[in-house]
Amino acid sequence: GTDNNWVRRSTRQPSRSAITAPNVRAVVGKLEMNDPEMVVLKSKKYLPDSDTPSVIVDALLDALERNANCQALYVQNFNTGMCDEQVLHLLRILQLPSCKIWCLNIGETYNVKRRTWAEFTNGLKKTKITHMYASEHTISSAMKEKIREIIRSNRKKHNMHIDPNNLDVIVQCT
């Protein structure tokens, strides 16, 4: 006979409870509702801790995946929570046809492998990113040059970064 003694193993997620924190619920809710405040999302306003865990960054990314109004995304300085998996998730979001993000700050992201940055760089071709900041010490100068070429080429895809009717967003991209 077959042995059907299935045992559920729990996975340890030490920061799981942090998802219910008011600041996390606020940013997730605003993203999901396409709140006007999310057009330029400076994540540090809601998640100021550089040690924000991956589970919180995942919640932010999951909500961003359902968002339709964010144009500028600042997710810099998440030393602990922005790792390979999160950078690749962000890339998949940026590649969605519904994604409007053209301005990205992903600087001070230290827990990402060079291979992941290479995949991210190549994947930028399928995004609307026209303006981007990433820290020099996490990517090679050759990769940085490739990113520059890609985002310059992306500027032919849309005019959100130069449209006078979008000036209120443009001026917030610092």
Side-chain angles (χ1 to χ4, degrees):
T2 57
D3 193 32
N4 287 332
N5 292 337
W6 183 80
V7 178
R8 184 185 170 278
R9 301 272 182 226
S10 64
T11 56
R12 190 176 175 283
Q13 291 183 303
S15 305
R16 190 81 196 156
S17 63
I19 288 181
T20 59
N23 58 330
V24 177
R25 286 204 330 263
V27 70
V28 165
K30 286 179 180 207
L31 278 167
E32 290 176 342
M33 295 183 307
N34 294 305
D35 187 290
E37 264 187 55
M38 297 295 103
V39 173
V40 176
L41 173 52
K42 297 191 176 182
S43 302
K44 287 292 169 194
K45 176 179 175 184
Y46 299 92
L47 308 170
D49 188 353
S50 62
D51 292 328
T52 295
S54 292
V55 70
I56 302 298
V57 175
D58 290 339
L60 178 81
L61 292 171
D62 289 344
L64 190 61
E65 200 164 348
R66 296 183 291 275
N67 175 274
N69 75 339
C70 185
Q71 292 185 43
L73 178 63
Y74 292 76
V75 286
Q76 77 279 15
N77 200 27
F78 286 124
N79 301 332
T80 307
M82 186 66 81
C83 301
D84 297 290
E85 183 183 334
Q86 288 73 27
V87 168
L88 295 176
H89 186 186
L90 175 59
L91 177 61
R92 289 191 304 275
I93 293 165
L94 296 173
Q95 292 175 335
L96 292 171
S98 58
C99 181
K100 289 188 170 80
I101 298 169
W102 57 268
C103 177
L104 175 66
N105 181 336
I106 192 168
E108 292 81 45
T109 304
Y110 304 114
N111 290 315
V112 177
K113 293 180 183 81
R114 190 172 295 272
R115 182 179 69 240
T116 302
W117 280 123
E119 189 174 335
F120 185 85
T121 298
N122 291 327
L124 283 172
K125 294 176 194 147
K126 295 179 181 153
T127 73
K128 296 178 182 83
I129 298 296
T130 57
H131 294 73
M132 180 175 150
Y133 174 78
S135 303
E136 296 78 14
H137 46 276
T138 59
I139 55 174
S140 68
S141 53
M143 200 177 292
K144 190 171 185 170
E145 194 48 47
K146 186 171 185 180
I147 289 170
R148 277 194 197 109
E149 287 173 28
I150 293 168
I151 65 176
R152 282 185 194 123
S153 175
N154 281 354
R155 290 177 184 159
K156 298 172 192 146
K157 294 180 184 178
H158 65 81
N159 69 349
M160 289 184 282
H161 57 289
I162 54 171
D163 184 351
N165 294 322
N166 202 30
L167 200 57
D168 57 323
V169 176
I170 297 167
V171 298
Q172 293 182 68
C173 296
T174 53

